[in-house]
Amino acid sequence: MKRQLLFCMPLLLGSPVLAEIVPETAAAYIDTALEREYAAALSRYDTRPLSLVLPPEADDTTFLRRACIDLAGRLPRPEEVKTFLTSASPNKRAVLTDALVREPAAAETRFRMLAETFRVKDDAAVIAWLRQAALDDRPYDQIITYMVGEGHMSQRDEGNAFRTAVETAFAVVGEDIHCSQCHDNPYNDHVQMEAFQFAACFTANDEFDNIRLPSTYWYRDGKPGERVKPKLLRLSREVPPSVKSGKDQRMLVAQWLTKESSRRFVFVEALRVWSSLFGMPGQNVDHTVGGSDPAPSWEEVHENSKIPVTLRKCYGAQHPNSIWWAGLEPSSLKAQNVEVALADVFRHCGYRIGVFQSILARTRAYGRMGIDPAHSGYMIPAPHIRRLPAEVIWDALSAEKSAQLPQVPPLEHPLRMLGRGTREWSDESITPISHALARFMMNSADMELAVAPGPADRSTEDLFLSILGRYPNGLEKAIAQQHRNEAPLTADSDIAWALLNTREFMFRP
């Protein structure tokens, strides 16, 4: 399907000549698509002008804190707050976001996104490569080639071709074939034979015999025990290339994923990056209040980890966080859709996540006040109010930084309770609001250590700047001073504890 960008200036975002990048034009293109689609949805039940419905522009304090958390994975520093708030430059927000995406901390944030996508656990070589790729902001299609084509996904799954096939399809092109491993699914685009054929693509050349139809296979397109030949999934009207014996199947899969006619990998990654800044739309995750149990392992869901035929666990075979990638149906891929606008810009960024993030952060939508996700629809042109990422909370409290920890810390580690996932499933980490979180923030030893008095007293202003990223108002100063008069020895600790337990600290504005 041919599509044209809706703006005239060329987007040379994939070019090495950085002076030719036009991020303002790309940001305006996304804003136009967002506001047009939202206005169309709004017109069905609200006659007010769009300008009266959209949230107002966020103040500088809110924008600074949001950008630091989303782009660099950290809270704003006190001196950073002072400089930003006193600057009179009209383009200071763009300068800020461009600087943030170049920070090493931003590269670590992008690395975590990639590690979540590809379920990276403890492979030191893969971790080092992905960290460098995030630091260099390498094109995403190169990262797919490394992880899928060079066999690192297969190594991570210890040769379980079914698992690699299912998770690759979901993570890279947003295609859910979990249920199709067990049976033909009337609500899915792919039948069981196709799931087995795609799994055969992830075997070594001499392992074709390992993929055979199960003894319970009851469909007419094959017989129980029959050997299955590798075949790529059909994602569009175009017939995928054949997989011939003697070829490197994994590299062919990677080439197909990044060159397939519908470019589904572009849509999925564009939505994933959007979700990291706006909290929507593609990953529709149910963050259950009250906490969530750790995601089950693949082996718990599929009793036979090599050939999953546990029909009675069909529901359990789906993603534990109920993620679905919206807007990927062929009928929805129209030029006016927001998803297409995001994919167009990401493509013209040369598939570089950092460049794409900086453009999203320049949009009018990102600069608005946050909205409550419980009272908003799909693709609102403003960020959702979201809980802080697990790593931001932990790094604010502990001298042991999250980047220094194992990718999957032990279950008893606080980072797990804060939302870090098991890496059993792609995009698994969540940000729950739970009783365990409240207990941790109020009474844990980690909190006591975080607010313990330092060698020097800290002013109320400094505590507000370092924890909330803003100056205290008059009433807050008066309350803090009154407490300092009443409890001078513990005042710093008490004020820090109180600020860390506010909703303002816990949520991204």
Side-chain angles (χ1 to χ4, degrees):
M1 181 183 300
K2 294 183 179 180
R3 296 184 294 274
Q4 293 182 344
L5 298 180
L6 304 183
F7 46 88
C8 299
M9 296 180 66
L11 282 178
L12 301 178
L13 300 176
S15 168
V17 185
L18 298 181
E20 296 178 337
I21 292 178
V22 192
E24 294 83 1
T25 305
Y29 172 48
I30 294 173
D31 275 319
T32 299
L34 272 170
E35 293 170 12
R36 181 175 56 237
E37 186 162 306
Y38 185 52
L42 196 67
S43 64
R44 302 187 186 105
Y45 58 89
D46 196 327
T47 59
R48 291 177 294 170
L50 182 65
S51 59
L52 298 180
V53 179
L54 291 174
E57 183 180 13
D59 56 60
D60 284 343
T61 300
T62 298
F63 184 86
L64 172 62
R65 189 169 190 266
R66 175 189 297 161
C68 287
I69 293 169
D70 288 344
L71 299 176
R74 62 171 178 81
L75 298 174
R77 304 180 182 101
E79 291 304 318
E80 195 172 28
V81 177
K82 296 175 183 177
T83 301
F84 188 74
L85 295 184
T86 56
S87 173
S89 173
N91 65 334
K92 65 181 182 180
R93 294 190 177 190
V95 172
L96 168 72
T97 54
D98 287 349
L100 287 174
V101 296
R102 292 193 295 267
E103 284 190 11
E108 183 65 22
T109 301
R110 292 193 293 271
F111 160 74
R112 281 200 305 270
M113 187 187 305
L114 295 170
E116 288 279 346
T117 299
F118 295 105
R119 302 172 294 120
V120 174
K121 281 191 172 182
D122 52 8
D123 189 322
V126 171
I127 291 171
W129 192 95
L130 280 181
R131 275 206 166 106
Q132 189 61 49
L135 185 64
D136 298 340
D137 201 14
R138 294 178 192 169
Y140 184 60
D141 56 345
Q142 294 182 15
I143 294 170
I144 294 174
T145 299
Y146 175 79
M147 292 300 301
V148 178
E150 296 187 20
H152 295 291
M153 289 277 280
S154 298
Q155 293 174 17
R156 181 253 178 268
D157 295 326
E158 299 178 342
N160 185 337
F162 286 100
R163 184 173 189 180
T164 303
V166 168
E167 293 299 328
T168 298
F170 184 79
V172 179
V173 291
E175 199 70 12
D176 189 349
I177 59 173
H178 279 98
C179 289
S180 299
Q181 298 173 93
C182 306
H183 58 92
D184 287 2
N185 184 354
Y187 304 105
N188 195 289
D189 293 333
H190 303 286
V191 298
Q192 188 176 11
M193 175 62 81
E194 291 176 291
F196 274 66
Q197 290 171 333
F198 191 51
C201 294
F202 292 91
T203 61
N205 293 331
D206 58 351
E207 294 177 350
F208 280 162
D209 286 343
N210 289 354
I211 305 297
R212 292 179 175 272
L213 295 177
S215 60
T216 57
Y217 195 79
W218 50 43
Y219 302 111
R220 295 180 179 179
D221 55 356
K223 298 178 180 180
E226 183 177 56
R227 181 170 66 87
V228 178
K229 295 182 180 180
K231 186 177 180 180
L232 298 171
L233 294 174
R234 186 166 181 167
L235 301 179
S236 64
R237 295 179 180 178
E238 182 177 305
V239 177
S242 60
V243 181
K244 297 181 180 179
S245 178
K247 298 285 185 179
D248 188 336
Q249 296 95 259
R250 298 185 186 98
M251 187 59 70
L252 190 148
V253 171
Q255 293 171 355
W256 165 74
L257 288 171
T258 56
K259 294 180 173 61
E260 196 268 336
S261 62
S262 70
R263 295 294 181 97
R264 286 278 290 275
F265 87 96
V266 185
F267 282 86
V268 170
E269 189 59 18
L271 288 170
R272 181 179 281 118
V273 178
W274 167 276
S275 298
S276 71
L277 270 67
F278 286 80
M280 55 183 176
Q283 297 186 16
N284 187 12
V285 185
D286 178 16
H287 291 174
T288 305
V289 174
S292 59
D293 295 328
S297 68
W298 180 274
E299 287 73 18
E300 288 177 288
V301 171
H302 304 292
E303 291 178 353
N304 184 332
S305 63
K306 292 295 182 183
I307 301 179
V309 293
T310 54
L311 181 60
R312 63 187 175 84
K313 286 192 175 183
C314 182
Y315 270 124
Q318 299 182 28
H319 196 287
N321 288 343
S322 302
I323 295 176
W324 59 278
W325 294 108
L328 295 180
E329 301 82 4
S331 61
S332 72
L333 302 185
K334 301 175 183 178
Q336 69 266 28
N337 278 15
V338 177
E339 297 88 351
V340 175
L342 294 173
D344 278 339
V345 173
F346 184 51
R347 183 181 298 113
H348 284 271
C349 286
Y351 312 126
R352 298 179 188 272
I353 295 173
V355 176
F356 187 49
Q357 285 178 318
S358 67
I359 289 173
L360 291 177
R362 286 173 180 256
T363 60
R364 292 189 300 273
Y366 189 74
R368 293 191 176 101
M369 292 296 294
I371 56 176
D372 183 351
H375 303 290
S376 64
Y378 176 75
M379 294 299 285
I380 306 299
H384 276 173
I385 298 172
R386 296 157 288 152
R387 206 212 73 184
L388 290 186
E391 293 77 15
V392 175
I393 298 175
W394 179 252
D395 290 347
L397 302 179
S398 176
E400 178 192 42
K401 300 307 178 185
S402 58
Q404 302 167 346
L405 296 171
Q407 294 302 302
V408 184
L411 185 59
E412 62 274 10
H413 194 281
L415 195 61
R416 295 288 299 279
M417 177 275 300
L418 293 171
R420 174 71 72 88
T422 65
R423 302 280 169 86
E424 290 287 322
W425 312 81
S426 64
D427 302 297
E428 178 202 323
S429 292
I430 60 175
T431 53
I433 305 299
S434 65
H435 298 102
L437 173 63
R439 290 194 298 269
F440 173 77
M441 295 301 293
M442 289 191 294
N443 300 320
S444 69
D446 294 292
M447 173 61 80
E448 291 296 327
L449 187 62
V451 301
D457 292 340
R458 300 182 66 185
S459 68
T460 299
E461 181 179 284
D462 183 53
L463 289 170
F464 269 78
L465 288 171
S466 60
I467 297 174
L468 301 183
R470 66 171 176 84
Y471 289 101
N473 60 36
L475 178 60
E476 290 164 338
K477 287 181 179 180
I479 294 173
Q481 187 57 51
Q482 181 180 349
H483 186 71
R484 288 184 182 279
N485 296 336
E486 295 172 353
L489 297 180
T490 62
D492 281 1
S493 296
D494 296 341
I495 295 171
W497 182 92
L499 295 178
L500 288 166
N501 277 281
T502 59
R503 286 180 295 179
E504 185 177 352
F505 170 76
M506 189 57 61
F507 289 87
R508 284 181 271 192

